[in-house]
């Protein structure tokens, strides 16, 4: 049962946290070399797993950047500009606590989900002080229910994702909402290569869903999936490397060419829908690779042309 939830945070004044400094720490890293290990410990405890399992490949969770929010629910402060695309079109749910920051978390492993949901419910009764990217924050609450006003908060099942996926739609569009970087042949690759993208989604699906997809799907992804339009821009990845590798953010459209069985086409659409939960590329536990599928009205889709702005 994949889940995307939103945590609501405030700087922990008892820890002397400077809100401006916290906003500059936009990526919410909790990986092996990250200073935000305290959050990783809390997530492991909440899910009833050990930290080593959270660092396995593929990761059973993803994190968004740390999103700074103003009173109207939109991202505020210049330091949060890099994260603004991740929250585009999203508003805080009506039941959300008045908090200055948001952190998106996705969870992919079914067995630990009930414990994680119970932990989220407890946050509304007692705030939790955590270290996130070197800053101390109080977690005020969590949103876990699907909401039409928030494209990032979702709770579903793998069976439902599979059942509701189209078995006829050959074209799709993905939006990469935080800096994204792929890895191809062991080297960084800062472009939305179709085969690399969907092979990564398939690896996560196979690791956590328990539902096999069409055995012909990997071959179709490698030989017949084409990128037909993209609108992306390069931008530096978070982390402050001396020679930073550029990532990308934006949108890309793909099409499966040739003749394929309905089960193969369905598998492609399952993976496109699943990208919301598993993220894209490397660093998905560091705020990178936030992804969601975009659907266009039929009237617009019928008149769109390659090269047209998405």
């Amino acid at each position: 049962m994949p889940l995307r939830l939103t945590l609501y945070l405030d700087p922990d004044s008892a820890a002397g946290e400077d809100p401006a400094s916290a906003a500059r720490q936009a990526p919410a890293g909790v990986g092996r070399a990250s200073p935000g290990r305290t959050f990783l410990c809390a997530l492991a405890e909440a899910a009833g797993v050990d930290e080593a399992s959270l660092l396995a490949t593929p990761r059973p969770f993803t994190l968004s950047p740390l999103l700074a929010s103003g009173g109207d629910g939109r991202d505020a402060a210049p330091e949060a500009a890099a994260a603004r695309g991740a929250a585009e079109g999203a508003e805080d749910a009506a039941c959300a606590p008045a908090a200055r920051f948001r952190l998106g978390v996705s969870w992919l492993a079914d067995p630990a989900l009930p414990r994680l949901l119970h932990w989220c419910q407890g946050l509304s009764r007692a705030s939790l002080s955590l270290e996130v990217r070197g800053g101390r924050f109080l977690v005020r609450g969590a949103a876990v229910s699907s909401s039409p006003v928030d494209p990032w908060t979702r709770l579903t099942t793998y069976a439902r994702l599979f059942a509701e996926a189209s078995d006829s739609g050959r074209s799709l569009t993905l939006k990469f909402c935080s800096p994204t970087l792929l890895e191809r042949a062991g080297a960084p690759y800062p472009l939305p290569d179709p085969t690399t993208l969907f092979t990564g989604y398939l690896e996560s699906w196979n690791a956590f869903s328990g539902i096999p997809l069409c055995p012909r799907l990997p071959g179709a992804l490698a030989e017949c999936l084409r990128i037909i339009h993209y609108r992306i821009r390069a931008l530096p990845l978070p982390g402050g490397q001396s020679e930073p590798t550029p990532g990308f953010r934006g949108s890309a459209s793909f099409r499966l060419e040739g003749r394929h069985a309905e089960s193969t086409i369905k598998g492609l659409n399952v993976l496109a829908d699943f990208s919301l939960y598993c993220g894209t590329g490397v660093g998905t536990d560091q705020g990178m690779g936030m992804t969601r599928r975009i659907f266009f009205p039929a009237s617009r889709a019928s008149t769109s042309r390659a090269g047209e702005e998405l």
Side-chain angles (χ1 to χ4, degrees):
M1 180 178 288
L3 163 72
R4 272 205 64 97
L5 62 91
T6 301
L7 298 178
Y8 299 96
L9 308 91
D10 277 321
D12 188 348
S13 57
E17 178 63 40
D18 175 21
S21 173
R24 285 191 290 271
Q25 308 280 359
V30 297
R32 190 178 301 275
S34 165
R37 297 279 297 197
T38 305
F39 182 83
L40 186 64
C41 293
L43 185 62
E45 181 179 349
V49 299
D50 59 83
E51 286 189 53
S53 66
L54 294 186
L55 297 173
T57 302
R59 297 285 197 266
F61 75 101
T62 73
L63 291 182
S64 76
L66 184 63
L67 304 176
S69 299
D72 60 356
R74 298 183 180 183
D75 297 326
E79 296 86 349
R84 183 168 290 119
E88 188 177 38
E91 299 288 342
D92 286 341
C95 60
R100 298 186 62 179
F101 296 91
R102 300 192 308 273
L103 178 65
V105 183
S106 69
W107 187 260
L108 306 177
D110 268 353
L113 187 60
R115 288 190 55 143
L116 190 62
L117 290 173
H118 180 73
W119 177 75
C120 290
Q121 292 169 357
L123 293 174
S124 62
R125 298 187 295 269
S127 297
L128 180 67
S129 180
L130 292 177
E131 181 182 338
V132 180
R133 195 65 176 179
R136 298 294 303 186
F137 291 85
L138 289 174
V139 185
R140 300 290 192 185
V144 298
S145 300
S146 298
S147 167
V149 299
D150 186 348
W152 294 107
T153 303
R154 293 287 184 272
L155 176 61
T156 187
T157 65
Y158 286 107
R160 183 175 179 179
L161 274 176
F162 181 84
E164 294 183 348
S166 170
D167 59 8
S168 60
R170 294 167 171 266
S171 299
L172 59 97
T173 299
L174 299 178
K175 186 169 185 177
F176 308 100
C177 299
S178 67
T180 302
L181 180 67
L182 305 184
E183 189 173 79
R184 197 170 72 167
Y189 192 78
L191 293 171
D193 174 68
T195 302
T196 306
L197 284 172
F198 282 83
T199 299
Y201 303 152
L202 180 59
E203 180 183 1
S204 289
W205 177 269
N206 288 339
F208 300 110
S209 73
I211 300 176
L213 299 181
C214 176
R216 294 183 292 275
L217 180 59
L221 297 177
E223 299 173 8
C224 303
L225 188 60
R226 304 284 185 263
I227 186 168
I228 56 176
H229 172 69
Y230 62 89
R231 184 177 180 84
I232 61 173
R233 64 187 181 93
L235 71 170
L237 299 177
Q241 304 96 325
S242 58
E243 296 183 3
T245 301
F248 65 89
R249 197 175 74 189
S251 59
S253 298
F254 308 88
R255 180 172 177 81
L256 187 66
E257 305 288 357
R259 295 172 59 88
H260 299 277
E262 290 182 350
S263 59
T264 301
I265 298 173
K266 188 179 188 69
L268 173 69
N269 284 283
V270 166
L271 298 181
D273 296 338
F274 182 54
S275 66
L276 174 71
Y277 303 93
C278 67
T280 298
V282 302
T284 54
D285 59 343
Q286 303 286 324
M288 294 169 56
M290 282 184 71
T291 307
R292 64 185 176 96
R293 186 174 184 176
I294 300 174
F295 292 92
F296 297 111
S299 59
R300 179 176 176 181
S302 63
T303 59
S304 63
R305 300 184 300 276
E308 183 180 16
E309 180 177 346
L310 292 174

